[in-house]
Amino acid sequence: EKERNYHVFFQLIAAKDELKELNIGGPQDYRYLKDAQYKAPGVDDKRCFEELQEAFGSLGFQENDQTDIFKIVAGILSLGNCDFADENDASRLVEGGHSARAAELLGLSAPDLEKSMLVRSLTVGKDVTETGRTATQAAAARDALARLLY
């Protein structure tokens, strides 16, 4: 039986009509959600999203602050769709626009976000050595970044 975690993702998807500027897809469009249970029994994700907004409001979060938080949540979903392929001694992003979209939502430059997943930096003293990650390592870096952001 499929599990369902990270309810805020499903709440965001349920409210996608209110958040048109985020261009949110359905749960099947995201790696982190596609194998999950889309609808939890007895849970109204749209209503839960409204309750989340009310809670943010009661805590003093302005609407623009809430939108920024929702951008980060949507950015995590887009980040999870980044795919990698091995190429020589390193890896590369498989183009699909996901890294650019994630970077936009997260307020980062796409090259910096891509480098954070594809390149490992090792600092010894004042020397910095950069080495390319394999596709498996890049995917692990992507998932670690998504967890950290979450």
Side-chain angles (χ1 to χ4, degrees), residues 54-89:
E54 290 169 13
F56 276 146
S58 69
L59 291 170
F61 286 86
Q62 300 299 315
E63 189 173 322
N64 61 326
D65 296 326
Q66 292 181 41
T67 300
D68 287 344
I69 291 168
F70 300 142
K71 282 182 180 179
I72 293 169
V73 174
I76 293 167
L77 288 173
S78 292
L79 181 65
N81 284 349
C82 292
D83 286 315
F84 308 92
D86 284 315
E87 188 171 88
N88 301 323
D89 293 335

Side-chain angles (χ1 to χ4, degrees), residues 108-120:
L108 303 171
S109 78
D112 286 345
L113 178 61
E114 293 167 6
K115 183 177 179 181
S116 75
M117 294 183 285
L118 295 171
V119 177
R120 178 176 168 241

